[in-house]
């Protein structure tokens, strides 16, 4: 029987609806859900490849203690006892949970309840601290509540969209496509991109402001000042619904007195700044989208408020097509905020520092205690572990040994912590390999619960697979530990709908319209109605049973006075400035086809081919002055650590600034972990780390040989200085390099590639003088592995050799061509994958453009399908067409 399940993509905060269909032969196909109002059937490359990540390969299948498989009973007992013992000896603040925006709301709710209401500490923080906690502070300061005012429909109803600190094309691709389509329907829609880099998002920009890293507050203070001078301040809105404008304007006038001043501080042309200000000033319907480029900063909270100030000053909030709009990074960052998953929040958007709220939550939970003060935020939490103040840590569904700033120190802290528990669906991560106890959690296709996306829309994630091995739901694991710690009364859940009902009821408990987060009308679900649950935007109350697309339409805010609050923003420089020793600024972020630390997207071959290696984007002139060439390996070094990546010339980089992606871990590379380099400076209010501004130096990596391996088997490349692993179709690809060449290259190659010593079926070419070696190991008439070594990076393309792994048998011409690495006459080397959805390579595209005279992206789509699904590759297709 063919079955289709409606669920949600587990990657970014867009929250796309997904249809998973199981065919009669047991294969799963994944498509966008046309009925889901966030994506209307569209998916990006990552969502489209979800079906390729479902295998049990790499899954954590059984509980383990110190590497030994144990029963659930034993593992749960040990976790409860371990945490209980530490609490008894050292107090509740000696334990901590580090959780994740990957958890479902129900999981998150139970974790927060256990820590804050039963253990009695607030030492629960989340990796959402790393992506949007500055927005939370900004919202709360301005609105009195952590409310996102807008909805996705506003992107279609706007006349001007400002994308600031957001590479939307790669990080929120389906929203980028919505904006792109809106622009096609309405050519008058203007798009402004504010980003130090010229990213693929600039492809649809009418104006790009490549501002100097960290100067956003000057730019938006300047805008506030300009709006005043241009007489665009909405006085009636100001008087009725806001407070604090005069002070905010006063500071803006002092710190950003003129367009020229702003341009000089931000490293921009005055004409560009003027053009932006004019557009903003003259356009009523303007949405300002901001994301990690704003949040991940030591002044992230101020940047958010500098943006919100401009919307309040013009009254452009709470109405269709306008408002400040934070795009969240993770699928359930918003759900985590709703249940109080941050160390400084209580459940249901209540405040931990508010005695009334504490009493209210404790009464509702009927819990033995309630945390009385904020807990440690992520960076501080891992510092406390390093200092021995926190002695037991439970990490849920995240990988801080890769993703935290100063990640090397964080990994050391985890290693030396007395008790580290990790519940995850993946067996080997940089964090699990350092843990004492591993608890197998359900994976994406196995979980039941809810998530909330960037537009406050709650959707159901539904299971379509049975548990892998002995994996269990996170809420079940946490509840079982709680019961074994003696808290049976509050954790007797049998099904996630019971948790959802409790969460919904708490949101309405003694609320009376005083708190923004209220979904009380959704409480009282039975298992059946919870299963049928349709996507809906909170608040959902008796008065608004259909949900609320926008907030603040009535001009009423959740501050004591009911008015929104301007913030006077004094621009601050980033915490660590470049110096003679560390003259460059390192910016980190995502690539198009990978997600976080690659534990899931790293399993999909088509997602690995677009960017198979960690890279460092650098302006060619900066590279020239550092004597580094395009395609060479380089080390990026800061006071905190070092990483090695492949140099990518990029004229869209600002001079003096570098960009490197965040995804590579010790499981995928020997030296690619960029967060090891990132400074641990944080925003004083939000605790969000400064991932976008670390002073670094860059130098050529001193490798004397380069190479690659393609292998059907996964390899351990111990002793190889530089290696990076990528998943291919029926093979793994390794890029390798080293500081010393082995004396006997064939023997060295065989030591890595041969499963058995009696293997004799090798095709080899060794040129000792030229220090080159090429070897292909055959089993029968199939390629088993291939290794190519050269003294420099001049090696053949990997794509033709890689394609041979999918062949059952090679023909004679292919066998003869093996050691050239180039296809025989009549075959094409497809080249690096550009379109991941249809697996179309660069060489295929170039040839079609040339031979068939293609002149537009639409013609390419008709000819090769490339660019017709998610559209993420469209900017690159345009690049191939010549602009
Ligand atoms: Fe998933 Fe892509 Fe949609 Fe984000 S934009 S939710 S990654 S399909």
């Amino acid at each position: 029987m063919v079955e289709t399940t409606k669920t949600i993509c587990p990657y970014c905060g867009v929250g796309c609806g997904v249809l998973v269909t199981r065919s009669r032969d047991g294969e799963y196909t994944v498509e966008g859900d046309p009925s889901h109002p966030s994506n209307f059937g569209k998916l990006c490359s990552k969502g489209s490849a979800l079906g390729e990540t479902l295998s049990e390969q790499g899954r954590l299948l059984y509980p383990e203690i110190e590497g030994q498989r144990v029963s659930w009973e034993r593992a749960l007992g040990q976790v409860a006892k371990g945490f209980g013992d530490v609490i008894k000896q050292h107090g509740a603040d000696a334990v901590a949970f580090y959780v994740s925006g990957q958890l479902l709301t129900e999981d998150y709710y139970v974790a927060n309840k256990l820590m804050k209401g039963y253990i009695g500490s607030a030492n629960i923080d989340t990796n959402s601290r790393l992506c949007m906690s500055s927005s939370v502070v900004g919202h709360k300061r301005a609105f009195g509540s952590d409310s996102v005012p807008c909805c996705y429909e506003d992107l279609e109803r706007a006349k001007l969209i400002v994308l600031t600190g957001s590479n939307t094309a790669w990080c929120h691709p389906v929203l980028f496509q919505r904006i792109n389509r809106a622009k096609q329907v309405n050519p008058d829609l203007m798009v402004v991109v504010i980003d130090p880099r010229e990213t693929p998002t600039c492809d649809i920009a009418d104006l790009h402001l490549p501002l100097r890293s960290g100067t956003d507050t000057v730019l938006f203070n300047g805008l506030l000042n300009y709006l005043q001078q241009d007489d665009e301040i909405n006085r009636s809105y100001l008087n009725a619904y806001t407070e604090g404008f005069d002070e905010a304007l006063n500071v803006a006038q002092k710190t950003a007195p003129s367009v020229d001043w702003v341009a000089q501080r931000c490293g921009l042309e005055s004409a560009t700044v003027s053009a932006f200000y004019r557009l903003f000033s003259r356009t009523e319907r303007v949405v300002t989208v901001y994301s990690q480029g704003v949040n991940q900063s030591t002044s992230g909270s101020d940047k958010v408020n500098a943006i919100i100030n401009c919307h309040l000053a013009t009254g452009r909030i709470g109405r269709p097509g306008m408002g400040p709009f934070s795009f969240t990074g993770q699928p359930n960052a918003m759900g985590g905020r709703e249940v109080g998953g941050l160390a400084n929040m209580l459940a249901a958007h209540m405040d931990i520092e508010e005695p009334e709220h504490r009493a209210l939550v404790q009464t509702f939970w009927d819990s033995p205690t309630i945390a009385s003060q904020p807990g440690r935020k992520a960076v501080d939490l891992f510092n406390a572990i390093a200092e021995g103040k926190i002695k037991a840590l439970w990490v849920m569904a995240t990988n801080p040994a890769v993703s935290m700033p100063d990640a090397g120190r964080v990994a050391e802290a985890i290693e030396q912590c007395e008790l580290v528990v990790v519940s995850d669906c993946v067996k080997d991560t940089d964090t699990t390999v350092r843990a004492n106890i591993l608890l197998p959690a359900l994976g994406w296709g196995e979980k039941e619960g809810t998530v909330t996306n960037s537009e406050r829309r709650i959707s159901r994630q539904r299971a379509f697979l049975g548990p892998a091995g002995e994996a269990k739901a996170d809420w079940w694991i946490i509840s079982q530990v709680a019961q074994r710690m003696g808290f049976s009364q509050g954790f007797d859940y049998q099904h996630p709908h019971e948790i959802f009902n409790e969460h919904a009821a708490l949101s309405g408990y003694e609320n009376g319209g005083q708190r923004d987060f209220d979904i009380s009308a959704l409480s009282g679900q039975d298992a059946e109605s919870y299963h049928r649950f349709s996507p809906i935007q909170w608040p959902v109350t008796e008065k608004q049973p259909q949900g609320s697309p926008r907030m603040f339409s009535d001009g009423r805010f959740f501050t004591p006075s009911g008015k929104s609050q301007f913030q006077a923003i004094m621009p601050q420089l980033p915490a660590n400035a470049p110096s003679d020793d560390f003259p460059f600024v390192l910016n980190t972020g995502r690539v198009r086809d990978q997600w976080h630390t690659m534990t899931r997207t790293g399993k999909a071959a088509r997602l690995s081919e677009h960017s198979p290696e960690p890279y460092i984007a650098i302006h060619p002139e900066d590279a020239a002055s550092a004597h580094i060439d395009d395609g060479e390996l380089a080390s990026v070094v800061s006071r905190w650590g070092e990483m090695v990546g492949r140099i990518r010339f990029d004229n869209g980089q600002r001079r003096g600034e570098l960009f490197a992606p965040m995804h590579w871990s010790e499981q995928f590379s020997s030296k690619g972990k960029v967060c090891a380099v990132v400074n641990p400076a944080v925003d004083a209010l939000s605790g969000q780390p400064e991932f976008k501004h670390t002073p670094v130096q860059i130098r050529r990596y001193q490798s004397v040989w380069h190479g690659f391996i393609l292998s059907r088997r996964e390899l351990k490349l111990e002793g190889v200085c530089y290696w990076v692993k990528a998943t291919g179709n029926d093979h793994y690809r390794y890029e390798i390099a080293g500081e010393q060449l082995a004396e006997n290259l064939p023997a060295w190659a065989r030591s890595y590639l041969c499963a058995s010593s009696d293997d004799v079926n090798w095709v080899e070419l060794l040129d000792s003088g030229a220090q080159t070696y090429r070897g292909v190991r055959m089993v029968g008439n199939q390629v088993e592995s291939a290794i190519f070594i050269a003294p420099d990076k001049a090696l053949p393309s990997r794509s033709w050799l890689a394609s041979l792994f999918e062949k059952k048998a090679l023909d004679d011409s292919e066998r003869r061509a093996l050691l050239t690495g180039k296809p025989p006459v009549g075959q094409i080397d497809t080249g690096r994958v550009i379109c991941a959805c249809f697996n179309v390579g660069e060489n295929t595209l170039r040839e079609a453009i040339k031979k068939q005279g293609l002149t537009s992206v639409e013609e390419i789509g008709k000819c090769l399908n490339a660019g017709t699904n998610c559209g993420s590759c469209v900017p690159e297709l345009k690049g191939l067409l010549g602009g």
Side-chain angles (χ1 to χ4, degrees):
M1 199 177 73
V2 175
E3 287 167 35
T4 296
T5 305
K6 279 187 175 207
T7 185
I8 285 290
C9 174
Y11 295 129
C12 82
V14 179
C16 294
V18 165
L19 297 178
V20 183
T21 304
R22 184 178 187 274
S23 67
R24 286 188 181 84
D25 57 8
E27 293 289 307
Y28 288 91
T29 53
V30 173
E31 297 164 289
D33 179 356
S35 70
H36 197 286
S38 297
N39 59 314
F40 298 109
K42 292 284 179 193
L43 292 178
C44 75
S45 54
K46 296 183 281 287
S48 301
L50 272 166
E52 290 155 49
T53 65
L54 299 177
S55 77
E56 289 193 4
Q57 186 205 357
R59 286 291 300 273
L60 175 62
L61 299 173
Y62 309 102
E64 291 182 8
I65 297 179
E66 306 297 356
Q68 300 300 311
R69 180 177 169 179
V70 297
S71 67
W72 265 110
E73 197 50 47
R74 183 149 167 238
L76 293 167
Q78 192 95 341
V79 176
K81 181 173 183 316
F83 271 72
D85 287 350
V86 170
I87 293 165
K88 222 178 280 165
Q89 273 189 36
H90 304 284
D93 287 335
V95 301
F97 294 168
Y98 186 66
V99 302
S100 160
Q102 302 286 314
L103 289 177
L104 304 183
T105 299
E106 291 74 2
D107 305 323
Y108 239 132
Y109 179 88
V110 178
N112 186 56
K113 182 178 179 182
L114 172 58
M115 183 54 87
K116 291 188 181 140
Y118 288 76
I119 291 174
S121 168
N123 279 346
I124 172 170
D125 212 37
T126 162
N127 62 4
S128 298
R129 175 74 60 198
L130 314 182
C131 77
M132 38 41 63
S133 52
S134 295
S135 283
V136 176
V137 171
H139 291 157
K140 291 189 78 164
R141 287 200 297 187
F143 311 141
S145 61
D146 178 21
S147 323
V148 175
C150 300
C151 61
Y152 295 162
E153 190 202 36
D154 290 326
L155 300 171
E156 277 120 17
R157 300 187 68 170
K159 287 274 168 75
L160 167 65
I161 298 176
V162 181
L163 300 165
T164 178
S166 166
N167 182 7
T168 321
W170 281 14
C171 301
H172 298 93
V174 166
L175 293 182
F176 181 74
Q177 293 310 321
R178 278 183 78 156
I179 297 169
N180 195 17
R181 269 194 305 283
K183 204 164 160 49
Q184 283 160 7
V185 171
N186 170 20
D188 291 339
L189 169 61
M190 301 296 281
V191 174
V192 174
V193 173
I194 301 170
D195 194 313
R197 298 190 294 146
E198 188 183 335
T199 65
T201 303
C202 295
D203 185 50
I204 59 164
D206 298 286
L207 186 65
H208 173 214
L209 279 70
L211 83 178
R212 185 176 290 135
S213 168
T215 57
D216 315 53
T217 44
V218 177
L219 184 71
F220 281 92
N221 270 3
L223 176 58
L224 188 67
N225 192 14
Y226 183 93
L227 292 167
Q228 156 79 10
Q229 289 168 1
D230 208 30
D231 204 18
E232 273 300 327
I233 302 298
N234 184 336
R235 291 282 160 194
S236 61
Y237 188 88
L238 225 56
N239 294 336
Y241 304 121
T242 73
E243 288 173 341
F245 174 72
D246 290 344
E247 203 189 334
L249 178 66
N250 189 18
V251 173
Q253 285 170 333
K254 283 188 181 134
T255 56
S258 68
V259 166
D260 288 342
W261 171 283
V262 170
Q264 200 263 332
R265 288 289 187 283
C266 298
L268 296 167
E269 299 289 329
S270 294
T272 313
V273 175
S274 281
F276 167 51
Y277 286 179
R278 227 176 8 254
L279 259 178
F280 194 104
S281 180
R282 310 267 158 90
T283 314
E284 172 78 352
R285 279 193 265 148
V286 49
V287 173
T288 306
V289 170
Y290 51 95
S291 195
Q292 290 11 328
V294 164
N295 291 331
Q296 291 179 333
S297 159
T298 43
S299 54
S301 305
D302 282 352
K303 290 180 184 179
V304 170
N305 284 106
I307 293 167
I308 293 174
N309 280 350
C310 297
H311 279 269
L312 293 177
T314 47
R316 294 171 189 166
I317 187 168
R319 287 184 286 149
M322 57 186 82
F325 199 170
S326 151
F327 282 0
T328 50
Q330 296 197 76
N332 201 27
M334 293 281 280
R337 281 143 80 166
E338 290 153 18
V339 301
L342 291 160
N344 51 324
M345 291 166 73
L346 264 186
H349 279 196
M350 282 184 265
D351 289 318
I352 207 162
E353 282 156 299
E354 185 64 60
E356 266 179 39
H357 286 177
R358 293 203 300 271
L360 192 152
V361 174
Q362 188 177 4
T363 306
F364 181 87
W365 281 343
D366 192 18
S367 62
T369 183
I370 194 79
S372 57
Q373 57 187 16
R376 294 179 185 273
K377 300 181 183 114
V379 169
D380 184 28
L381 188 148
F382 284 97
N383 282 340
I385 294 168
E387 290 159 9
K389 292 176 184 157
I390 289 176
K391 296 171 188 305
L393 170 72
W394 187 347
V395 178
M396 301 179 199
T398 185
N399 197 1
V402 183
S403 54
M404 287 288 296
D406 198 4
R409 181 161 190 260
V410 168
E412 278 169 26
I414 294 170
E415 240 158 42
Q416 72 192 45
C417 185
E418 283 179 22
L419 173 62
V420 177
V421 179
V422 180
S423 38
D424 207 315
C425 58
V426 179
K427 176 142 182 8
D428 289 331
T429 71
D430 292 14
T431 305
T432 59
V433 298
R434 293 174 165 90
N436 305 100
I437 302 178
L438 299 181
L439 305 173
L442 296 178
W444 168 64
E446 302 151 16
K447 297 206 273 195
E448 292 278 356
T450 55
V451 293
T452 309
N453 71 3
S454 298
E455 59 167 353
R456 288 173 282 103
R457 191 180 296 279
I458 303 170
S459 298
R460 274 284 272 111
Q461 186 163 314
R462 296 181 178 87
F464 54 90
L465 290 170
E470 293 182 3
K472 299 281 188 192
D474 286 283
W475 62 263
W476 182 90
I477 300 171
I478 302 158
S479 299
Q480 291 296 316
V481 169
Q483 289 178 20
R484 283 161 180 76
M485 290 177 78
F487 307 130
S488 48
Q489 161 263 331
F491 298 90
D492 188 23
Y493 304 112
Q494 304 300 314
H495 190 275
H497 80 270
E498 299 165 5
I499 305 166
F500 182 84
N501 283 338
E502 186 178 314
H503 164 57
L506 174 57
S507 74
Y509 184 59
E510 296 189 12
N511 188 332
Q514 296 305 300
R515 307 192 302 268
D516 67 329
F517 182 70
D518 187 345
I519 56 167
S520 50
L522 296 173
S523 62
Q525 312 268 336
D526 58 20
E528 182 52 33
S529 59
Y530 181 71
H531 184 70
R532 288 198 315 270
F533 190 100
S534 294
I536 192 165
Q537 289 170 282
W538 63 260
V540 191
T541 60
E542 264 181 28
K543 278 192 195 153
Q544 298 153 283
Q546 304 307 320
S548 315
R550 289 177 194 85
M551 300 202 63
F552 312 128
S553 301
D554 58 0
R556 194 180 70 83
F557 295 85
F558 295 91
T559 54
S561 65
K563 294 187 173 190
S564 58
Q565 302 293 309
F566 280 94
Q567 301 296 313
I569 301 301
M570 185 63 74
Q572 306 282 339
L573 289 172
N576 293 294
S579 61
D580 288 347
D581 288 340
F582 300 102
F584 287 91
V585 169
L586 175 70
N587 178 2
T588 66
R590 295 180 187 167
V591 299
R592 194 188 78 182
D593 292 345
Q594 293 296 347
W595 176 254
H596 279 194
T597 60
M598 293 166 61
T599 51
R600 288 172 296 168
T601 45
K603 287 165 84 170
R606 64 171 145 147
L607 296 183
S608 297
E609 292 183 15
H610 185 253
S611 291
E613 228 179 333
Y615 66 86
I616 301 152
I618 183 170
H619 193 283
E621 288 172 31
D622 282 338
S625 55
H627 308 291
I628 312 172
D629 199 4
D630 194 22
E632 286 189 323
L633 291 173
S635 299
V636 174
V637 184
S638 73
R639 278 171 48 208
W640 296 273
E642 177 174 1
M643 62 88 64
V644 176
R646 187 78 58 187
I647 285 290
R648 216 182 252 191
F649 280 6
D650 185 347
N651 285 309
Q653 281 293 130
R654 273 186 73 90
R655 294 291 312 272
E657 298 190 9
L658 310 174
F659 174 84
M662 57 172 273
H663 307 285
W664 278 267
S665 64
E666 291 166 17
Q667 314 307 312
F668 284 88
S669 66
S670 58
K671 297 176 190 295
K673 190 155 53 169
V674 74
C675 287
V677 181
V678 171
N679 64 173
V682 297
D683 180 293
L685 298 171
S686 70
Q688 181 150 359
E690 183 142 68
F691 285 100
K692 305 291 187 188
H693 192 106
T694 301
V696 295
Q697 54 179 258
I698 184 164
R699 53 185 182 231
R700 229 177 128 260
Y701 179 62
Q702 296 302 335
S703 45
V704 301
W705 62 269
H706 297 255
F708 66 86
I709 297 173
L710 306 173
S711 168
R712 271 185 210 284
R713 278 185 306 120
E714 204 168 344
L715 303 174
K716 288 246 173 290
L717 294 180
E718 276 152 19
V720 177
C721 295
Y722 174 88
W723 61 264
V724 176
K725 178 179 79 172
T727 305
N729 285 318
D730 297 327
H731 71 280
Y732 295 92
R733 166 178 165 178
Y734 296 87
E735 294 296 322
I736 51 178
E739 293 168 15
Q740 204 179 348
L741 196 64
E743 277 181 19
N744 185 338
L745 273 171
W748 178 86
R750 283 165 196 244
S751 72
Y752 289 109
L753 298 188
C754 284
S756 60
S757 56
D758 59 358
D759 188 290
V760 289
N761 197 5
W762 277 85
V763 191
E764 290 177 289
L765 178 68
L766 172 68
D767 182 339
S768 301
Q771 298 188 322
T772 62
Y773 171 73
R774 296 178 174 195
V776 179
R777 183 181 160 226
M778 305 288 294
V779 170
N781 206 10
Q782 275 196 313
V783 179
E784 179 64 20
S785 47
I787 180 166
F788 281 53
I789 303 288
D792 53 32
K793 59 187 170 64
L795 289 156
S797 149
R798 290 52 163 165
S799 42
W800 176 70
L801 280 169
S803 72
L804 300 181
F805 285 79
E806 294 175 74
K807 297 207 161 185
K808 291 220 159 44
L810 304 192
D811 65 27
D812 285 348
S813 66
E814 287 167 337
R815 285 187 78 108
R816 279 197 299 276
L818 278 173
L819 292 181
T820 68
K822 292 181 184 156
V825 177
Q827 289 188 25
I828 183 174
D829 180 341
T830 53
R832 187 174 75 97
V833 167
I834 301 290
C835 171
C837 297
F838 294 104
N839 209 10
V840 187
E842 184 175 343
N843 295 346
T844 308
L845 286 158
R846 284 190 191 282
E847 188 168 281
I849 291 167
K850 192 169 157 201
K851 287 202 172 150
Q852 300 187 47
L854 308 179
T855 57
S856 70
V857 170
E858 290 70 30
E859 285 177 5
I860 291 177
K862 276 191 198 135
C863 179
L864 297 166
N865 280 334
T868 58
N869 184 38
C870 75
S872 299
C873 63
V874 166
E876 280 167 276
L877 298 182
K878 285 187 181 169
L880 293 177
L881 286 165

